[in-house]
Amino acid sequence: MADRATLEELVRLQGERVRGLKQQKATAEQIEEEVSKLLKLKAQLGADESKQKFVLKTPKDFDIAGQFDPMIPDAECLKIMCEILSSLQIGDFLIKVNDRRILDGMFAICGVPDSKFRTICSSVDKLDKVSWQEVKNEMVGEKGLAPEVADHIGDYVQQHGGVSLVEQLLQDPKLSQNKQALEGLGDVKLLFEYLTLFGIDNKISFDLSLARGLDYYTGVIYEAVLLQTPAQAGEEPLGVGSVAAGGRYDGLVGMFDPKGRKVPCVGLSIGVERIFSIVEQRLETLEEKVRTTETQVFVASAQKKLLEERLKLVSELWDAGIKAELLYKKNPKLLNQLQYCEEAGIPLVAIIGEQELKDGVIKLRSVASREEVDIRREDLVEEIRRRTNQPLCIC
């Protein structure tokens, strides 16, 4: 058997492969195969009982573990997802919610054989990209499902809405007779009550087509998608898709506990790479630059032998709580300093020259407009704050 360090490295590499496949929206079968390999590797690590404390690292960005009353932590995860996506200001979004128990119950009453649950689930999961007819053709033509069974599934998975749809399905003569589906619908109804209290129910859609192919999900599942908005004049339409996802996985952690203890968990993952791609695409379309620093003002010199004066001024700005910087060179060329500010997105430049020192002023330059104005040195901090809307710093 491989030593522990080797196993840990294999787990890390396999975890990266799984995350890569998820970001690429690979098929559920591909992901499940790689997840299975990952779980086997982690199981080997879990066999080391010399460790007193068991730690499980998952690819989630936020997780809540422990035994709690139903749907309270699940609702909090959705609230956190809403807060994160709203704060990023990447556009309007919608969070689709479903429950694996509802899906399994639905497949059962529609007549899907147990052996085909997961493969049919992966077909349903494609409904956000292709039409129902294409999904049906795959179910029937490639996966051998009877056409009437596929039609029955279609009656359900094309429905989406809010708590009223949940209540409608609770009265469904067939679905309400399935124990798994009934439990899932009851929890989703309770979830909507909490989401209403959190004030985010308008961002949530109960969507029966949401499947989330991974086998370790055991209850509520969710996925956030950006909504396509009409392109503004001069803009290309931006690609949209899933930017966050998660769900409940009550059985996963216990698989790696040497004592076999059950640890209910629910979590979410933010698609950082996809969000970066969307932001970059939008900025490129709008021909805007990405700021690579929080610096508010750059301290520059117009002539040589002014390093001491630059150091004095940047120190004054730091002491006043202004985010300032300078080039770490004794005699940098002014053009190089200004180009650096444009590339880094620094909005202001405080320029010191021999004449400015004689007059007791600092030349303040707007990088965007290239306009320059002389500011008395004692008024410089206040002027920078005014232009950057920074509140007074009590240092």
Side-chain angles (χ1 to χ4, degrees):
M1 181 178 175
D3 61 47
R4 189 166 187 82
T6 302
L7 279 174
E8 288 175 346
E9 178 62 14
L10 289 172
V11 167
R12 185 186 69 79
L13 292 173
Q14 186 64 20
E16 289 180 356
R17 175 163 176 75
V18 170
R19 286 191 290 275
L21 287 173
K22 290 173 67 178
Q23 289 163 0
Q24 296 163 19
K25 298 292 281 185
T27 65
E29 288 91 344
Q30 287 178 299
I31 295 174
E32 285 176 13
E33 181 181 350
E34 298 304 322
V35 167
S36 177
K37 294 177 184 177
L38 177 61
L39 295 182
K40 288 177 182 177
L41 288 170
K42 286 187 174 181
Q44 293 181 56
L45 280 176
D48 181 2
E49 301 205 19
S50 63
K51 301 284 185 182
Q52 292 187 353
K53 184 178 180 181
F54 183 82
V55 178
L56 174 69
K57 294 182 180 179
T58 75
K60 302 288 182 184
D61 295 310
F62 181 87
D63 299 85
I64 300 174
Q67 190 74 50
F68 303 106
D69 287 340
M71 295 298 104
I72 300 174
D74 308 67
E76 183 177 352
C77 282
L78 288 166
K79 173 68 170 174
I80 290 168
M81 185 181 285
C82 278
E83 289 179 350
I84 292 172
L85 296 178
S86 295
S87 65
L88 290 172
Q89 298 181 350
I90 54 175
D92 200 12
F93 61 90
L94 183 70
I95 301 177
K96 300 177 182 180
V97 171
N98 200 1
D99 193 295
R100 286 300 288 266
R101 294 166 296 176
I102 299 174
L103 276 170
D104 287 349
M106 176 186 69
F107 290 152
I109 67 165
C110 289
V112 179
D114 291 351
S115 61
K116 292 184 181 292
F117 270 28
R118 294 287 74 87
T119 186
I120 297 303
C121 187
S122 69
S123 295
V124 170
D125 204 32
K126 297 176 183 177
L127 274 172
D128 62 334
K129 308 179 199 69
V130 300
S131 68
W132 162 247
Q133 190 58 49
E134 291 175 273
V135 169
K136 179 185 175 181
N137 290 343
E138 179 181 297
M139 288 178 175
V140 176
E142 298 179 23
K143 300 184 176 179
L145 198 66
E148 62 273 14
V149 174
D151 287 336
H152 201 176
I153 292 172
D155 292 338
Y156 286 107
V157 298
Q158 296 181 82
Q159 299 185 63
H160 54 85
V163 69
S164 60
L165 176 58
V166 181
E167 293 170 344
Q168 176 186 323
L169 293 173
L170 280 168
Q171 303 302 316
D172 184 283
K174 292 185 178 179
L175 204 58
S176 61
Q177 298 304 308
N178 182 277
K179 183 180 178 182
Q180 273 189 302
L182 200 59
E183 289 176 356
L185 288 166
D187 277 352
V188 171
K189 182 179 180 181
L190 180 61
L191 178 65
F192 265 97
E193 292 180 18
Y194 297 148
L195 297 177
T196 301
L197 294 173
F198 279 148
I200 60 170
D201 56 304
N202 63 319
K203 289 288 187 182
I204 311 296
S205 172
F206 175 42
D207 193 323
L208 287 167
S209 70
L210 180 64
R212 303 285 297 155
L214 299 181
D215 269 345
Y216 57 70
Y217 287 119
T218 57
V220 169
I221 50 177
Y222 36 84
E223 181 176 273
V225 295
L226 289 186
L227 301 177
Q228 179 72 66
T229 55
Q232 297 178 7
E235 290 187 28
E236 292 292 326
L238 294 172
V240 294
S242 172
V243 291
R248 176 160 288 281
Y249 54 104
D250 287 345
L252 183 61
V253 175
M255 293 171 60
F256 309 109
D257 187 336
K259 296 183 180 180
R261 291 170 295 192
K262 185 178 180 181
V263 184
C265 297
V266 63
L268 64 96
S269 178
I270 303 297
V272 176
E273 290 186 5
R274 181 165 292 187
I275 289 173
F276 280 170
S277 176
I278 291 168
V279 171
E280 288 173 354
Q281 183 183 356
R282 181 165 292 157
L283 291 174
E284 286 177 9
T285 300
L286 299 175
E287 297 184 350
E288 294 182 3
K289 291 186 179 293
V290 179
R291 283 201 65 184
T292 59
T293 175
E294 291 186 347
T295 301
Q296 297 165 292
V297 61
F298 183 89
V299 176
S301 55
Q303 290 94 25
K304 295 182 178 180
K305 299 181 180 180
L306 290 174
L307 175 60
E308 291 183 4
E309 296 299 331
R310 284 192 291 137
L311 291 174
K312 287 179 187 177
L313 180 56
V314 80
S315 181
E316 290 175 19
L317 295 174
W318 288 340
D319 290 344
I322 300 293
K323 296 175 182 176
E325 65 174 286
L326 74 169
L327 282 187
Y328 302 135
K329 292 187 176 182
K330 286 186 177 180
N331 299 306
K333 294 181 180 179
L334 181 59
L335 180 60
N336 291 344
Q337 296 172 87
L338 297 178
Q339 285 179 338
Y340 171 78
C341 294
E342 289 189 1
E343 291 170 359
I346 300 172
L348 298 172
V349 187
I351 303 173
I352 304 174
E354 294 174 356
Q355 189 62 46
E356 284 78 17
L357 288 173
K358 290 178 183 178
D359 296 341
V361 298
I362 300 294
K363 192 176 296 293
L364 193 62
R365 177 187 175 99
S366 166
V367 174
S369 67
R370 301 186 178 182
E371 294 178 357
E372 297 179 347
V373 60
D374 288 341
I375 305 293
R376 294 196 59 80
R377 189 161 183 147
E378 58 267 28
D379 298 330
L380 180 62
V381 168
E382 183 181 346
E383 179 64 17
I384 292 171
R385 286 205 185 101
R386 186 185 69 79
R387 294 198 186 198
T388 58
N389 296 318
Q390 180 187 356
L392 179 65
C393 175
I394 301 175
C395 301

